[in-house]
Amino acid sequence: MKIAVFPNMNNNGVDELTKNILAELKALDVEVVSDNESDYDLAIAVGGDGTTLSVAKRASFKNKPTLGINAGRLGFMSGLEKNELNLLKNVVSGNCITEERMMLKTTVIQNGVVSGTYHCLNDAVISRGDIARLIDINVFCEERQVTKTRADGMIVSTPTGSTAYSMAAGGPVVSPDNSCFVVTPICPHSLVNRSIVFSSDKELVLTLANDTNNNVYLSIDGESSIPVNSDTKIIISKSEFTAKLIKVKPDNFYEILNKKIIERRN
């Protein structure tokens, strides 16, 4: 077996944890690589949720699974904690399961021309720039306007991303075995605006209006930041790629939700 290990050395404790992981894999007679361009059977992301997110997305383009090993604070997407490296033997022997997570495809059209296509595992977020002015965001589905919202921004998340920024903005928690989009406004200037859930076989089109003195950006999984304006059309659909996350322990989604988020906040 060949495993690619991708540590985020910006996180505290990752250097030592990575050394321990490599030692464990060596004892299991596993070949280790660290280049995403190499061929490998599975990827290991060492860090927090952001690291797992980034690695799992890259691995999805190769149709390979990812195991997250948590060195961060939350580790909601991680399959193992740093004190559970003895369970790596289950991954090598195949005594684990792989969960498939839907992803979004976001196509940006500027003045009628496609300027970029992006894939995200968590969310695509439209947000205002550094000036505290609201923006008007239109959401269309099947060529019909669903909502026009004046807000700080808008989040379109996957079920996986429903426990991230979307939840912080008041959106619902959605089990990752669902296939849908969750559209959640950010600080809407309204008393009635709520999240809307769309089936993933739909295509959403978002347009916006902002004054000339206010910058607006489209953020993809918190990584890419693309300037957009009133001439931009953002099309969101289900991606042809699927992220695959390795699950070693028997906890289900709701148990993990309780341990990682609810209990830690109490």
Side-chain angles (χ1 to χ4, degrees):
M1 174 177 278
K2 184 184 292 187
I3 294 179
V5 179
F6 300 108
N8 182 356
M9 292 302 184
N10 293 320
N11 285 25
N12 291 333
V14 167
D15 186 26
E16 181 180 356
L17 176 56
T18 302
K19 291 177 182 177
N20 294 336
I21 292 169
L22 295 178
E24 191 75 25
L25 293 176
K26 183 178 179 180
L28 293 168
D29 197 28
V30 170
E31 181 182 354
V32 176
V33 297
S34 58
D35 182 1
N36 190 60
E37 300 304 318
S38 300
D39 184 34
Y40 54 81
D41 298 299
L42 65 91
I44 291 179
V46 188
D49 282 329
T51 306
T52 301
L53 181 77
S54 178
V55 173
K57 186 161 56 174
R58 294 201 310 266
S60 75
F61 302 149
K62 294 174 171 284
N63 197 30
K64 302 297 183 182
T66 298
L67 170 68
I69 299 181
N70 183 31
R73 291 170 295 177
L74 188 61
F76 192 78
M77 298 177 66
S78 300
L80 292 176
E81 299 296 325
K82 57 187 176 183
N83 61 340
E84 298 174 328
L85 299 187
N86 62 305
L87 295 179
L88 281 171
K89 63 180 181 293
N90 294 345
V91 177
V92 174
S93 66
N95 186 21
C96 57
I97 64 173
T98 301
E99 296 182 339
E100 295 200 0
R101 305 287 184 92
M102 70 157 281
M103 294 169 58
L104 300 177
K105 179 170 74 173
T106 303
T107 303
V108 179
I109 299 176
Q110 196 74 32
N111 296 314
V113 179
V114 175
S115 61
T117 300
Y118 310 88
H119 298 270
C120 49
L121 176 54
N122 256 6
D123 49 39
V125 179
I126 298 172
S127 58
R128 64 175 174 83
D130 52 1
I131 299 177
R133 293 177 181 171
L134 301 176
I135 53 179
D136 293 309
I137 304 168
N138 303 299
V139 179
F140 298 86
C141 180
E142 297 180 331
E143 300 183 350
R144 295 176 182 268
Q145 186 168 14
V146 177
T147 181
K148 179 177 181 179
T149 304
R150 174 160 285 193
D152 280 355
M154 188 75 76
I155 305 164
V156 183
S157 80
T158 64
T160 297
S162 73
T163 55
Y165 193 6
S166 177
M167 184 182 72
V173 171
V174 181
S175 175
D177 55 1
N178 286 284
S179 186
C180 60
F181 310 134
V182 180
V183 178
T184 301
I186 305 169
C187 298
H189 191 249
S190 169
L191 295 175
V192 295
N193 276 59
R194 294 292 184 269
S195 299
I196 304 175
V197 180
F198 296 87
S199 171
S200 64
D201 62 355
K202 306 299 183 184
E203 181 179 270
L204 305 183
V205 177
L206 286 76
T207 62
L208 56 99
N210 62 300
D211 64 62
T212 56
N213 297 316
N214 189 19
N215 298 320
V216 181
Y217 297 92
L218 170 67
S219 176
I220 304 296
D221 275 342
E223 298 173 341
S224 305
S225 187
I226 305 112
V228 295
N229 55 42
S230 55
D231 295 321
T232 306
K233 180 184 291 185
I234 300 166
I235 300 175
I236 296 180
S237 59
K238 184 178 181 180
S239 173
E240 63 268 30
F241 298 105
T242 302
K244 298 173 175 59
L245 296 181
I246 295 173
K247 186 172 180 290
V248 185
K249 296 178 290 185
D251 303 18
N252 67 25
F253 169 74
Y254 303 101
E255 291 171 322
I256 295 171
L257 180 70
N258 189 63
K259 290 178 181 178
K260 295 284 189 175
I261 295 181
I262 298 175
E263 288 182 359
R264 288 193 181 190
R265 293 186 176 182
N266 290 337

